């Protein structure tokens, strides 16, 4: 009877996962029909410049790194893609990176645990809304997934495996965003104490790479609008990854049954995320509010991995609940949200050419950035 129940629950589990795949494919395709928004236009403006210019510190007049621009520019040049609605599919390479990360950790998890890992990522705001944009989100999530997998492999092999791939992928991930670099440095710091031979000294050299990149590309005055840090703002971040939050709550609640043994045994795995968040919160409180839910995309894979490990003893009991929550979150929450554009740029162009708007000024949230030049160019030629 118990075997029959397991087979029945497994059949439902796989059916729900198939539904998740079909739903996310539909939502991503629909997302591609939305109007481009400001950050995507910013990237498209700079994609026409030479690689040498893009690598010059300060050329972008923006604290963002040029990695995502170079990524899309390389795909555009290689495949001769000029239409942004086609170029965005370059993020399929980043999707392959996420799937490959699941393959890398296959020996540490059950097959169904790997499926739930993918479901937790796919059924989040980070994937459904952010991943398939002409921005850095897809590149960050893809690289962070592979880096987190090698960090996990290094952790469980006591430093014997995964070091050199982690150094390479971590360095590339550091090129995508300042907070990604912060995360990588903390991972390197913890890996140093996990490795017992002379190979650990490589980590000292690579530890400074994210810091150098930060000094070169992010040491810029920021004039954008920043949302003030508040408890409500932090709590609302959970809305970007509802299934993951429920997994965390389940793991913490069930931790009472074993005196938090699994949680404490593997606490080193989640320390890079904890340390990074502490730095982000302190900087946001005392210097400038830089905390944004979108920036936590770097941490998502490792958070999923850690709490799946903590949930191992209760996986059979929780797997159906969690994967159904994944599906419902995508269907009822992230799906409808993804249908609403951040900025309907095409509508703005149409409205701007009406007689009533001819003499009205156009405002930009950051007049020093390159995006206003792109806006002006498009408005003038539309």
């Amino acid at each position: 009877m118990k075997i029959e129940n397991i087979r029945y629950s497994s059949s439902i589990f796989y059916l729900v996962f198939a539904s998740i795949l079909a739903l996310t494919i539909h939502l991503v395709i629909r997302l591609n029909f939305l109007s481009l928004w400001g950050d995507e236009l910013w990237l498209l403006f700079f994609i026409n410049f030479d690689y040498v210019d893009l690598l010059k510190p300060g050329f972008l007049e923006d604290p963002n790194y040029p990695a995502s621009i170079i990524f899309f520019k390389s795909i555009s040049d290689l495949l001769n893609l000029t239409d942004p609605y086609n170029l965005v599919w370059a993020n399929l390479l980043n999707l392959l990176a996420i799937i490959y990360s699941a393959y890398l950790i296959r020996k540490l998890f059950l097959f169904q645990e790997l499926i739930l890992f993918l479901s937790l990522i796919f059924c989040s705001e980070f994937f459904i809304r952010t991943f398939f944009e002409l921005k850095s989100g897809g590149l960050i999530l893809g690289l962070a997934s592979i880096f987190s997998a090698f960090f996990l492999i290094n952790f469980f092999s006591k430093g014997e495996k995964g070091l050199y791939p982690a150094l390479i992928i971590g360095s590339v991930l550091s090129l995508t965003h300042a907070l990604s670099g912060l995360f990588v440095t903390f991972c390197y710091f913890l890996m140093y104490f996990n490795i017992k031979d002379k190979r650990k000294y490589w980590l000292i050299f690579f530890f400074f790479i994210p810091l150098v990149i930060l000094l070169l590309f992010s040491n810029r005055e920021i004039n954008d609008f920043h949302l003030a840090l508040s408890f409500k703002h932090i709590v609302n971040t959970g809305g970007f990854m509802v299934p993951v939050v429920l997994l965390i709550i389940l793991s913490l609640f069930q931790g009472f049954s074993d005196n938090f043994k699994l949680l404490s045994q593997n606490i080193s795995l989640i320390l890079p995320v904890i340390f990074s968040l502490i730095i982000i919160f302190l900087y946001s409180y005392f210097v400038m509010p830089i905390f944004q839910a979108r920036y936590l995309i770097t941490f998502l894979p490792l958070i999923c991995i850690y709490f799946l490990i903590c949930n191992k003893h209760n996986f059979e009991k929780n797997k159906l609940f969690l994967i159904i929550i994944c599906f419902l979150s995508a269907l009822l929450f992230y799906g409808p949200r993804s249908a609403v554009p951040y900025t309907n740029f095409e509508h703005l162009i149409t409205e701007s050419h009406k007689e009533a708007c001819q003499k009205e000024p156009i405002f930009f949230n950051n007049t020093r950035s390159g995006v206003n030049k792109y806006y002006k160019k498009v408005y003038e030629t539309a």
Side-chain angles (χ1 to χ4, degrees):
M1 187 68 178
K2 185 176 181 180
I3 295 176
E4 288 299 321
N5 289 336
I6 292 175
R7 288 177 179 174
Y8 179 70
S9 64
S10 295
S11 298
I12 296 177
F13 183 85
Y14 290 122
L15 181 61
V16 175
F17 179 63
S19 302
I20 287 173
L21 292 180
L23 177 60
T24 52
I25 290 172
H26 166 72
L27 294 176
V28 166
I29 292 175
R30 187 181 67 179
L31 178 66
N32 201 33
F33 290 100
L34 295 182
S35 172
L36 299 172
W37 67 293
D39 283 8
E40 292 178 296
L41 294 171
W42 177 85
L43 184 143
L44 286 173
F45 174 78
F46 283 104
I47 207 172
N48 297 311
F49 289 90
D50 294 333
Y51 292 101
V52 175
D53 291 330
L54 293 174
L55 290 171
K56 291 178 181 177
F59 177 77
L60 299 180
E61 298 180 352
D62 192 276
N64 284 304
Y65 293 1
S68 58
I69 305 174
I70 294 173
F71 170 73
F72 285 109
K73 179 176 175 60
S74 300
I75 300 298
S76 176
D77 293 343
L78 184 63
L79 302 179
N80 194 27
L81 294 176
T82 55
D83 187 343
Y85 293 99
N86 291 328
L87 182 59
V88 72
W89 294 111
N91 282 306
L92 288 174
L93 294 174
N94 300 316
L95 175 59
L96 291 176
I98 295 175
I99 296 172
Y100 179 61
S101 70
Y103 173 79
L104 287 172
I105 58 177
R106 68 194 184 280
K107 294 182 180 180
L108 300 171
F109 291 93
L110 299 172
F111 182 68
Q112 289 187 355
E113 288 176 321
L114 295 177
I115 287 180
L116 185 56
F117 166 70
L118 294 176
S119 299
L120 291 169
I121 291 179
F122 292 165
C123 297
S124 68
E125 179 94 353
F126 297 116
F127 185 86
I128 292 177
R129 185 57 187 263
T130 306
F131 192 83
F132 282 93
E133 289 181 335
L134 287 171
K135 280 289 293 176
S136 59
L139 187 61
I140 292 175
L141 188 53
L143 291 172
S145 297
I146 295 181
F147 178 73
S148 297
F150 282 119
F151 178 70
L152 178 72
I153 291 170
N154 184 266
F155 176 81
F156 279 110
S157 67
K158 305 297 182 182
E160 293 296 324
K161 300 177 181 178
L163 171 62
Y164 297 121
L167 292 176
I168 296 171
I169 301 299
S171 298
V172 179
L173 178 59
S174 300
L175 291 166
T176 60
H177 196 275
L179 299 187
S180 297
L182 178 67
F183 171 69
V184 168
T185 55
F186 280 125
C187 287
Y188 286 168
F189 176 77
L190 292 170
M191 287 170 67
Y192 179 86
F193 297 100
N194 196 39
I195 298 173
K196 306 304 180 184
D197 54 37
K198 293 181 179 180
R199 293 177 304 132
K200 67 181 181 181
Y201 297 115
W202 280 105
L203 288 162
I204 298 176
F205 171 77
F206 280 87
F207 178 87
F208 290 99
I209 291 180
L211 301 179
V212 172
I213 295 171
L214 176 68
L215 291 174
L216 289 175
F217 291 103
S218 280
N219 189 22
R220 300 282 174 268
E221 181 182 358
I222 304 174
N223 297 310
D224 289 324
F225 170 77
H226 296 277
L227 189 64
L229 182 66
S230 65
F231 180 74
K232 182 180 179 181
H233 185 197
I234 296 172
V235 171
N236 287 343
T237 302
F240 276 62
M241 47 182 186
V242 171
V244 178
V245 171
L246 289 178
L247 171 62
I248 295 172
I249 293 173
L250 278 174
S251 300
L252 293 175
F253 181 76
Q254 292 164 353
F256 288 102
S257 63
D258 65 351
N259 294 320
F260 300 96
K261 183 178 179 181
L262 278 177
L263 284 164
S264 58
Q265 275 183 345
N266 305 295
I267 191 67
S268 296
L269 273 176
I270 202 65
L271 285 181
V273 175
I274 295 174
F275 290 158
S276 297
L277 288 175
I278 290 173
I279 296 297
I280 293 170
F281 289 143
L282 290 176
Y283 191 89
S284 296
Y285 185 79
F286 291 105
V287 183
M288 183 175 64
I290 61 171
F291 178 87
Q292 291 187 36
R294 288 171 64 94
Y295 292 164
L296 302 190
I297 190 171
T298 304
F299 311 139
L300 179 63
L302 189 57
I303 292 173
C304 293
I305 288 172
Y306 172 72
F307 284 101
L308 280 174
I309 292 173
C310 296
N311 192 58
K312 270 187 172 294
H313 292 167
N314 299 286
F315 177 73
E316 283 297 327
K317 183 170 61 176
N318 296 331
K319 66 179 185 181
L320 273 183
F321 170 74
L322 288 169
I323 201 165
I324 290 173
I325 289 296
C326 287
F327 175 74
L328 293 177
S329 297
L331 178 66
L332 303 177
F333 188 39
Y334 300 121
R337 278 167 62 95
S338 69
V340 181
Y342 292 118
T343 304
N344 195 332
F345 187 57
E346 295 168 0
H347 174 71
L348 291 178
I349 293 177
T350 302
E351 291 296 313
S352 70
H353 286 73
K354 290 183 178 180
E355 185 175 352
C357 296
Q358 288 297 311
K359 296 182 180 180
E360 295 297 323
I362 299 173
F363 295 96
F364 305 98
N365 67 330
N366 182 358
T367 56
R368 294 192 178 189
S369 69
V371 71
N372 71 320
K373 304 172 188 176
Y374 191 88
Y375 278 140
K376 290 177 181 178
K377 178 182 177 182
V378 176
Y379 272 98
E380 290 170 358
T381 59

